[in-house]
Amino acid sequence: MTYPPPDDRLRHLLAQEINTSVDTWKLAWSIAGGIVKDPEIRAELDRIAKAHSQGQPCGDRHCPHCFDAALTEADQ
């Protein structure tokens, strides 16, 4: 079995990150579940993924993908 499981990977990854800031895994798991189910967050993830798949910047100033792409363009 691989971890995190592919059928709930996003929730597991979020819970792992949240778990460093909360007291229990159960709380981290609950918070992550709420994030994954939020339609606005899902829409934003889809928007970012679509922009990146089309080779466009996503517009998020904290996006490492866009930052790296901008540096690569500047070097050429």
Side-chain angles (χ1 to χ4, degrees), residues 20-36:
T20 63
S21 301
V22 299
D23 291 334
T24 67
W25 172 256
K26 187 175 181 177
L27 178 57
W29 185 250
S30 176
I31 293 168
I35 292 169
V36 168

Side-chain angles (χ1 to χ4, degrees), residues 1-70:
M1 183 171 152
T2 61
Y3 184 84
D7 64 335
D8 205 7
R9 184 172 169 77
L10 180 59
R11 186 176 183 185
H12 277 267
L13 293 172
L14 287 168
Q16 283 179 302
E17 187 64 30
I18 293 165
N19 195 42
T20 63
S21 301
V22 299
D23 291 334
T24 67
W25 172 256
K26 187 175 181 177
L27 178 57
W29 185 250
S30 176
I31 293 168
I35 292 169
V36 168
K37 292 175 186 173
D38 186 291
E40 288 184 48
I41 293 172
R42 296 298 276 200
E44 182 62 6
L45 289 171
D46 291 343
R47 184 194 67 75
I48 291 169
K50 183 178 178 184
H52 288 171
S53 70
Q54 295 174 347
Q56 301 295 319
C58 67
D60 182 340
R61 65 179 164 189
H62 301 290
C63 177
H65 173 80
C66 294
F67 181 78
D68 291 343

Side-chain angles (χ1 to χ4, degrees), residues 70-76:
L71 286 180
T72 302
E73 288 176 9
D75 290 339
Q76 295 176 358

